[in-house]
Amino acid sequence: MVNLVAAQKPLLHGLMKMAGVQPHTVEIEPGTVMNFWVPKETVKKPQKGEKKNDTPTLTKPNKPVVVLVHGFAAEGIVTWQFQVGALTKKYSVYIPDLLFFGGSITDKTDRSPTFQAETLVKGLGKIGIEKCILVGFSYGGMVAFKMAELYPDLVQAMVISGSILAMTDSISEATLSELGFKSSSELLLPNSVNGLKALLSVATHKKLWFPNRLHKDYLEVMFTNRKERAELLEGLVINNKDPTIPKFVQKIHLLWGENDQIFKLELAQNMKEKLGETVTIQGIQKAGHLVQLERPCVYNTCLKKFLTSLLENEEQK
């Protein structure tokens, strides 16, 4: 029987290409490969004598660079499918698949957000990115925070949705207890139709209905590399005594679903107080954790407004 989610992938890939991006694989180092969707205008066409299946050379982007970093339940273009087309006219948009998502893999054993951040930075360097604005969702937001902390010359600014600086054991335990889950893996790596329904129920404000077969097909296609992803979740949680609040030099905009049950708006407000004057916060009504998918038009308007304001301020300096 045809997997309905797998059958829709070529359609999504076609829509992404129409929006102006195409897939590109980058070997970070032997044993580590990262998949990106990159602006079509940066891909050099093969010269005479070159094979079409050779990895094409990329040119440097000629527009401001926006990097969209996905969360834990789906790869890059699934997470950001409604944002790509809204941004490509004015921005060079790059959508990576983090390690163990999409086509990205590594034979290294490090599963920390820091390793994800360092690998993504190396990948961006290999495709000619010298400065960028990060838009990070959930798990991708934690990776984005690490990138901004460790590589301030690369990261100009950030928009963060449904994420936190670091997953301390107290935040992890409190969140899971409130949601009624025993572990992060039970919440974020469901292995049954009912488990996926439970994840969608807490991740969205408006309750969605899909037939069981679609849930089953999604589980088969989107939740691959289960062992490694479980290790990523384990590598995410740090001791309460360990976290230090970095001093970010970048402007940070927290763009939140007001009904987010996983990382509540209160957490964003507390984060703003801790991080100080460089941080702004904005809530989107009638939206949960998956704010960019539930309210894409509102989300895109808010995102573009921040980006425009940011670049106008840069020009005036």
Side-chain angles (χ1 to χ4, degrees), residues 19-241:
V21 294
Q22 69 180 62
H24 182 80
T25 301
V26 178
E27 185 180 40
I28 309 299
E29 56 191 69
T32 302
V33 172
M34 184 165 271
N35 183 61
F36 286 83
W37 285 77
V38 302
K40 287 168 75 173
E41 67 267 17
T42 66
V43 180
K44 277 188 180 177
K45 292 181 180 178
Q47 301 294 315
K48 284 184 179 178
E50 288 182 345
K51 294 179 182 177
K52 285 190 176 180
N53 59 359
D54 288 346
T55 301
T57 305
L58 300 185
T59 60
K60 288 188 178 182
N62 56 14
K63 293 182 281 191
V65 173
V66 175
V67 179
L68 305 174
V69 192
H70 65 82
F72 209 84
E75 61 197 49
I77 59 169
V78 176
T79 301
W80 301 108
Q81 57 188 286
F82 297 127
Q83 281 65 56
V84 177
L87 296 173
T88 48
K89 188 176 179 181
K90 290 190 175 180
Y91 305 96
S92 291
V93 179
Y94 293 78
I95 311 104
D97 287 326
L98 296 173
L99 295 172
F100 304 114
F101 297 84
S104 302
I105 55 167
T106 185
D107 58 5
K108 305 294 186 291
T109 57
D110 194 338
R111 300 290 183 260
S112 66
T114 299
F115 181 65
Q116 286 274 26
E118 289 170 344
T119 305
L120 179 49
V121 167
K122 288 176 185 175
L124 291 171
K126 282 181 175 284
I127 56 178
I129 306 305
E130 297 173 352
K131 283 193 177 296
C132 65
I133 300 161
L134 297 177
V135 184
F137 165 68
S138 198
Y139 176 66
M142 297 180 211
V143 174
F145 273 128
K146 267 300 164 199
M147 289 174 67
E149 178 188 351
L150 299 173
Y151 303 94
D153 291 338
L154 171 69
V155 180
Q156 293 173 278
M158 290 190 292
V159 178
I160 302 291
S161 298
S163 189
I164 49 178
L165 282 166
M167 179 68 86
T168 62
D169 43 20
S170 62
I171 290 176
S172 176
E173 289 165 14
T175 301
L176 291 169
S177 174
E178 193 168 326
L179 293 173
F181 291 87
K182 294 176 184 174
S183 67
S184 296
S185 289
E186 185 187 356
L187 170 62
L188 294 170
L189 278 175
N191 54 18
S192 67
V193 167
N194 286 339
L196 181 55
K197 284 181 177 179
L199 171 57
L200 288 172
S201 177
V202 299
T204 56
H205 169 62
K206 196 177 286 184
K207 302 314 165 199
L208 306 172
W209 181 89
F210 297 108
N212 284 349
R213 184 187 164 191
L214 202 57
H215 286 96
K216 183 174 176 292
D217 289 352
Y218 190 89
L219 283 169
E220 287 179 8
V221 173
M222 289 298 168
F223 289 95
T224 55
N225 299 319
R226 284 180 169 274
K227 175 181 174 291
E228 292 83 0
R229 290 195 198 182
E231 292 166 355
L232 290 177
L233 288 174
E234 288 173 15
L236 204 55
V237 181
I238 62 171
N239 192 287
N240 280 337
K241 296 174 184 176

Side-chain angles (χ1 to χ4, degrees), residues 79-80 82-83 137 161 289-296 299:
T79 301
W80 301 108
F82 297 127
Q83 281 65 56
F137 165 68
S161 298
H289 189 64
L290 294 170
V291 55
Q292 80 283 1
L293 292 171
E294 280 198 283
R295 302 292 307 279
Y299 188 92

